[in-house]
């Protein structure tokens, strides 16, 4: 289970970017974006920074650590 929660889907939809388009910009498979959005995959630091750059925001706006009580 991923230890990170994400707002990626909301940011992507607000910019009207498809999962496929985002995947191409980040140079990953679309399935990776799906897993990120569904909290099934933790991004590498490099990937998180690339995505934040695409959305012109801070990494912390896209990804946050789950609180201890949420890690069950």
């Amino acid at each position: 289970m991923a230890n990170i929660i994400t707002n990626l889907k909301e940011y992507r939809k607000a910019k009207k970017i498809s999962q496929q388009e985002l995947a191409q910009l980040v140079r990953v498979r679309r399935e990776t974006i799906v897993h990120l959005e569904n909290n099934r995959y933790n991004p590498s630091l490099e990937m998180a920074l690339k995505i934040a750059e695409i959305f012109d925001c801070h990494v912390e706006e896209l990804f946050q650590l789950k609180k201890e009580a949420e890690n069950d």
Side-chain angles (χ1 to χ4, degrees):
M1 181 75 69
N3 291 322
I4 295 177
I5 54 175
T6 182
N7 296 313
L8 179 57
K9 188 174 190 175
E10 291 80 10
Y11 273 75
R12 182 179 58 74
K13 286 188 172 194
K15 285 257 187 170
K16 298 183 175 148
I17 298 174
S18 71
Q19 289 175 334
Q20 184 63 43
E21 290 168 326
L22 181 57
Q24 289 171 341
L25 291 169
V26 181
R27 297 184 182 197
V28 297
R29 294 176 38 206
R30 185 188 65 81
E31 290 80 7
T32 302
I33 302 301
V34 171
H35 291 309
L36 285 170
E37 289 184 353
N38 291 310
N39 297 312
R40 287 187 262 155
Y41 178 74
N42 289 336
S44 67
L45 178 57
E46 181 180 2
M47 185 184 304
L49 289 168
K50 282 182 184 178
I51 294 170
E53 185 176 346
I54 289 165
F55 291 111
D56 192 29
C57 67
H58 295 281
V59 171
E60 296 87 355
E61 294 175 62
L62 291 169
F63 305 102
Q64 298 92 37
L65 285 174
K66 283 185 181 179
K67 293 185 174 43
E68 287 296 319
E70 296 174 355
N71 282 335
D72 297 333

